[in-house]
Amino acid sequence: MSQAQATVCLSAESGQYLEAFRDCFSKRQWGYFVIVLLGLIECEERRTMTGFRRVVGEQVSLSGLSRFLNKWPWSVAEVTETWQEWLWQRMVPLVVTEHVRLKALRSKRAGRPKATVVTANRRLWGG
């Protein structure tokens, strides 16, 4: 199974999620990223490089997979920032909708209503 085939086997949501990270990697690194992510998702045994290869069915060398994780120049910070932005873009509309819903349910009484608390905000992510 090639990296392209592995990507096709994903659900539409998983494929869209993976695509958000494409610019974080070179074309060669992208294939290894897909293998690692699919391995993390699908592996029911110990999560090792051998286990990832076995689950994904990709014929890649262990040394190449090891180099991707340990030596190749890709930025953990860039991947983290991409993930945070991806999550933020999906959470803001949900949080706004929930704020509107909760505000409509509040009883009308004198005084200032308590603010709705959101437990995951951009400040917590370093934004």
Side-chain angles (χ1 to χ4, degrees):
M1 177 184 292
S2 72
Q3 177 268 322
Q5 290 170 319
T7 305
V8 169
C9 292
L10 294 170
S11 68
E13 293 83 12
S14 298
Q16 289 172 354
Y17 179 73
L18 273 174
E19 284 299 321
F21 297 94
R22 189 175 285 274
D23 291 340
C24 297
F25 302 99
S26 70
K27 185 176 180 180
R28 185 173 180 195
Q29 290 170 335
W30 173 250
Y32 286 106
F33 174 71
V34 170
I35 291 167
V36 169
L37 198 59
L38 286 174
L40 288 169
I41 292 168
E42 296 292 326
C43 195
E44 294 180 4
E45 56 189 75
R46 290 186 65 208
R47 286 171 172 83
T48 63
M49 290 184 286
T50 303
F52 293 171
R53 282 182 44 196
R54 191 173 16 258
V55 166
V56 176
E58 183 70 31
Q59 298 301 316
V60 296
S61 70
L62 285 175
S63 61
L65 195 52
S66 178
R67 279 190 304 275
F68 167 72
L69 293 170
N70 296 311
K71 296 187 184 204
W72 282 354
W74 54 274
S75 171
V76 172
E78 184 180 359
V79 171
T80 302
E81 184 178 317
T82 300
W83 171 76
Q84 289 173 346
E85 190 59 37
W86 181 89
L87 183 62
W88 186 253
Q89 288 174 0
R90 280 143 189 87
M91 290 303 297
V92 167
L94 298 173
V95 170
V96 168
T97 300
E98 184 65 3
H99 277 285
V100 169
R101 186 186 75 77
L102 291 173
K103 188 175 181 180
L105 293 174
R106 280 188 202 141
S107 60
K108 307 297 184 220
R109 54 188 170 154
R112 182 174 290 188
K114 292 182 181 178
T116 305
V117 176
V118 178
T119 58
N121 62 39
R122 197 169 204 154
R123 238 183 333 192
L124 295 174
W125 299 338

